[in-house]
Amino acid sequence: MHSYASVDDCPTEPKHYTVAVHQTEDQNMSFRRLYIGVTTRRLSIQCFIASVFGSLIVLFLFNELSSDKLHHLQLRAWNFARNRLNVQDRGIKANMGPDENKAWNSRPQAAPSKHFAILAEMDVISKWSELEEMYRCFLDPSDNSTRPCNVFCPEHSTTIELIITKNVKDFSGTDAAIFGLSPFTLLKSVTKLMKYSIQIPPTQTAVLYSMESPLRVHKWIHRVGDLKYHVDLTYLPSADISVPYAYYQPGSFENTFERKANYAEGKTGLIAWMGSNCAKEVFWPRMEFIEELGRHLPLDTYGKCGKLTCLPRLSTKCVNLIGTYKFYLALENSECRDYITEKFWVSCLLNGVVPVVYGAPKEDFERLAPPNSYIHVSDFKSVEELATYILKVDQSDELYNKFFEWRNHGSVLVKYPKMQPSYFCRILPFLQGSRGMSGAKQIRNSKWFNSCRGNITRRFNISQVPTLKDWKPWKLGVNDYKDGF
Ligand SMILES: *[C@@H]1O[C@H](CO)[C@@H](O)[C@H](O)[C@H]1NC(C)=O
Ligand SMILES: *[C@@H]1O[C@H](CO)[C@@H](O)[C@H](O)[C@H]1NC(C)=O
Ligand SMILES: *[C@@H]1O[C@H](CO)[C@@H](O)[C@H](O)[C@H]1NC(C)=O
């Protein structure tokens, strides 16, 4: 879990922060631990420094620190925070006028020493709330033109310049070429990327970026497996640069949800499903499964393939509506490892709803999600048995409340949708390694491409998705579809 600590986070409207630092018994170790305590909370410090003009209160708590240690620690924390000002938070920027906003982007700082090109279009990323921070960094508000986004990376004392482009041509001369962030742009550029893949310049690192399941990307772009890359940035824990959608952190209390004596109280519905994708890009018999479940219990279905309507689907209104149900079907479109999206984390766990989950195998939920926070479809022999269990939990507040016990022991840290330009700093350590053609790997051999159930090159054809009758929930090592679908 701790490997994710460098993924940054900063609330949009910070009110106050407590930076708590604990000293250990061992005097020799204490400074080391203190420093870690501060750096893992560095964005809180950044928020503090950045809102010096606001009214933010910060408390440093120290236990019996010698004064020179304290001084050293403060110095490091302040230097760190000052550097972080170059990648300020949106909430703080929003309080500034357009000129200051521009100044933020071109704030005097070390000239960029590294240049990264991202293959994507402003029109595309403007529509994705996940990429809002990046869009803002690239958008010049004075005339709505596109500008480079400069990011200071304090861990490396380096400024990187990010440019966004829809032309593979513009990769030329940059230190890193990043593609996949917008599958739409990837599709349009795939022929040019194929050419790029056989002549990656010797000074360039190619970065594959994907927060989408490989099944979906492959269905769109069959040739994606042929492209080459050096470094991958995906939601997989095994990625070179791992950005999970979210994860559970035991012992952390960052979530601010109210704790209730009875989570069943006030619920007006039993179970709901909300979805816009009925079958086109769904790689298991999800719709049939939902229809079958609806035969055994009262299931409210929203969206294009449902009977009820709530739009826009990811709005606060619809998330609140989901909150009125006891259970929610958090069913991903793909049976792929670690592909656990905001449906699960935001619509359910942070929303006081018990998710009935499917997509990634249970092992992945056990590793990433809070213990006993969900019902996994693969635990049941049939849809009917699953329905019987849901109805049983519905009958017992005691059973239902057990699903919320984790809230007393830790927090769910959501890292996406909050993509920060500073995530790209994590590419820097890879620039010295494999570059050019010699170190390039084929996407079809990547962990990401091979993270789904069965053989992806067979499965892109939708007629290869089994019917419910021929389908069994995925159990790792038991029914991986090695030779079938
Ligand atoms: C930029 O675009 C937004 C949204 O389309 C618009 O409201 C705003 O007036 C534009 N600003 C300028 C300076 O053109
Ligand atoms: C996957 O299926 C394709 C097409 O049927 C086949 O060419 C390929 O060898 C298979 N790959 C694996 C790893 O089984
Ligand atoms: C998908 O599979 C069906 C039946 O197996 C076949 O008739 C069809 O041509 C395939 N489509 C593609 C795009 O390969």
Side-chain angles (χ1 to χ4, degrees):
M1 296 296 181
H2 294 288
S3 61
Y4 299 135
S6 64
V7 178
D8 300 339
D9 204 347
C10 186
T12 48
E13 284 170 273
K15 289 285 184 285
H16 67 270
Y17 270 91
T18 304
V19 179
V21 182
H22 300 288
Q23 192 175 13
T24 60
E25 303 289 347
D26 178 352
Q27 287 301 309
N28 289 337
M29 281 298 293
S30 63
F31 176 70
R32 201 182 162 83
R33 296 230 177 155
L34 285 164
Y35 180 56
I36 290 166
V38 170
T39 54
T40 54
R41 293 202 171 239
R42 62 190 183 280
L43 269 169
S44 301
I45 297 168
Q46 176 215 331
C47 296
F48 160 60
I49 304 293
S51 56
V52 157
F53 308 108
S55 56
L56 204 124
I57 305 155
V58 166
L59 234 60
F60 284 90
L61 302 177
F62 296 105
N63 291 335
E64 298 167 40
L65 262 185
S66 71
S67 68
D68 58 340
K69 266 181 191 164
L70 183 61
H71 179 72
H72 191 103
L73 176 70
Q74 281 175 324
L75 209 68
R76 294 201 76 151
W78 281 83
N79 279 339
F80 198 90
R82 199 176 54 203
N83 290 338
R84 292 302 297 200
L85 267 171
N86 294 315
V87 279
Q88 270 180 11
D89 173 71
R90 172 166 58 93
I92 293 143
K93 262 189 292 165
N95 294 333
M96 300 175 173
D99 289 344
E100 281 152 313
N101 221 335
K102 190 166 184 178
W104 162 73
N105 191 264
S106 56
R107 181 182 296 274
Q109 59 190 15
S113 61
K114 296 292 173 201
H115 304 266
F116 296 178
I118 302 174
L119 188 73
E121 282 155 75
M122 284 295 269
D123 277 358
V124 174
I125 71 168
S126 71
K127 294 187 182 75
W128 289 9
S129 60
E130 295 92 317
L131 300 175
E132 197 180 337
E133 307 286 327
M134 285 179 55
Y135 178 68
R136 280 170 178 267
C137 196
F138 283 122
L139 185 74
D140 186 338
S142 65
D143 59 359
N144 283 349
S145 63
T146 305
R147 63 183 174 183
C149 167
N150 284 1
V151 180
F152 181 72
C153 305
E155 296 89 341
H156 308 280
S157 308
T158 301
T159 300
I160 52 176
E161 182 196 65
L162 301 171
I163 59 156
I164 184 167
T165 177
K166 51 185 168 186
N167 289 321
V168 176
K169 254 194 355 241
D170 295 335
F171 282 174
S172 167
T174 62
D175 300 290
I178 302 157
F179 59 89
L181 181 139
S182 154
F184 179 72
T185 315
L186 188 66
L187 176 63
K188 288 206 295 192
S189 321
V190 72
T191 308
K192 295 218 170 81
L193 277 172
M194 290 296 293
K195 285 201 191 114
Y196 169 77
S197 271
I198 54 170
Q199 52 181 34
I200 303 175
T203 55
Q204 195 166 71
T205 300
V207 181
L208 162 69
Y209 174 117
S210 188
M211 292 303 284
E212 290 279 357
S213 92
L215 279 165
R216 191 146 186 241
V217 176
H218 184 259
K219 184 170 166 61
W220 270 50
I221 309 146
H222 297 168
R223 284 188 288 171
V224 69
D226 298 331
L227 300 175
K228 297 220 168 140
Y229 76 104
H230 300 108
V231 174
D232 58 351
L233 188 164
T234 72
Y235 52 85
L236 285 172
S238 59
D240 294 318
I241 301 167
S242 172
V243 181
Y245 279 83
Y247 56 91
Y248 173 63
Q249 181 96 69
S252 155
F253 294 97
E254 290 192 23
N255 293 152
T256 53
F257 33 58
E258 56 170 321
R259 288 191 172 72
K260 293 185 187 168
N262 182 3
Y263 289 92
E265 220 170 78
K267 297 284 186 183
T268 50
L270 178 68
I271 180 166
W273 152 253
M274 224 175 252
S276 54
N277 204 339
C278 305
K280 225 170 69 211
E281 284 166 26
V282 185
F283 304 91
W284 62 284
R286 182 168 75 177
M287 243 12 255
E288 259 192 285
F289 175 90
I290 292 166
E291 283 158 14
E292 174 65 16
L293 188 64
R295 290 190 192 102
H296 300 286
L297 43 65
L299 168 65
D300 287 350
T301 53
Y302 292 85
K304 236 195 276 170
C305 17
K307 298 195 177 78
L308 303 160
T309 310
C310 188
L311 287 171
R313 205 162 51 85
L314 297 173
S315 63
T316 314
K317 183 183 78 175
C318 296
V319 172
N320 289 344
L321 174 66
I322 293 171
T324 65
Y325 288 88
K326 276 190 172 172
F327 304 92
Y328 181 73
L329 289 176
L331 308 174
E332 303 294 351
N333 55 37
S334 302
E335 296 170 296
C336 296
R337 298 297 309 267
D338 298 299
Y339 186 61
I340 308 173
T341 69
E342 73 289 337
K343 281 183 195 60
F344 176 76
W345 303 107
V346 180
S347 304
C348 295
L349 293 195
L350 296 183
N351 199 23
V353 178
V354 174
V356 175
V357 301
Y358 189 67
K362 195 179 175 194
E363 280 85 345
D364 295 344
F365 284 91
E366 285 173 335
R367 195 164 26 76
L368 285 170
N372 196 37
S373 60
Y374 54 89
I375 297 171
H376 197 283
V377 166
S378 75
D379 280 340
F380 302 88
K381 287 202 187 70
S382 65
V383 177
E384 190 176 357
E385 198 182 274
L386 168 67
T388 306
Y389 180 69
I390 292 170
L391 290 169
K392 181 179 145 192
V393 177
D394 175 47
Q395 291 304 308
S396 160
D397 288 356
E398 195 192 332
L399 275 183
Y400 188 71
N401 282 307
K402 284 218 171 95
F403 286 96
F404 296 90
E405 222 154 70
W406 65 269
R407 289 185 168 203
N408 300 318
H409 305 289
S411 288
V412 162
L413 307 187
V414 177
K415 295 302 169 192
Y416 195 88
K418 279 188 189 170
M419 182 72 194
Q420 300 284 325
S422 56
Y423 289 11
F424 293 103
C425 289
R426 296 172 67 190
I427 294 170
L428 284 168
F430 293 94
L431 295 182
Q432 300 311 318
S434 51
R435 295 187 294 183
M437 286 314 295
S438 61
K441 300 171 275 193
Q442 212 153 27
I443 289 182
R444 75 168 62 265
N445 299 322
S446 68
K447 286 230 173 75
W448 172 71
F449 195 80
N450 293 290
S451 65
C452 301
R453 189 182 194 184
N455 178 338
I456 199 167
T457 40
R458 278 206 199 137
R459 290 198 60 187
F460 75 86
N461 186 337
I462 199 68
S463 59
Q464 306 279 352
V465 172
T467 60
L468 188 65
K469 171 169 70 58
D470 299 324
W471 173 87
K472 288 261 180 301
W474 189 14
K475 290 195 183 192
L476 277 189
V478 176
N479 52 12
D480 296 325
Y481 282 164
K482 278 215 172 56
D483 308 306
F485 301 102

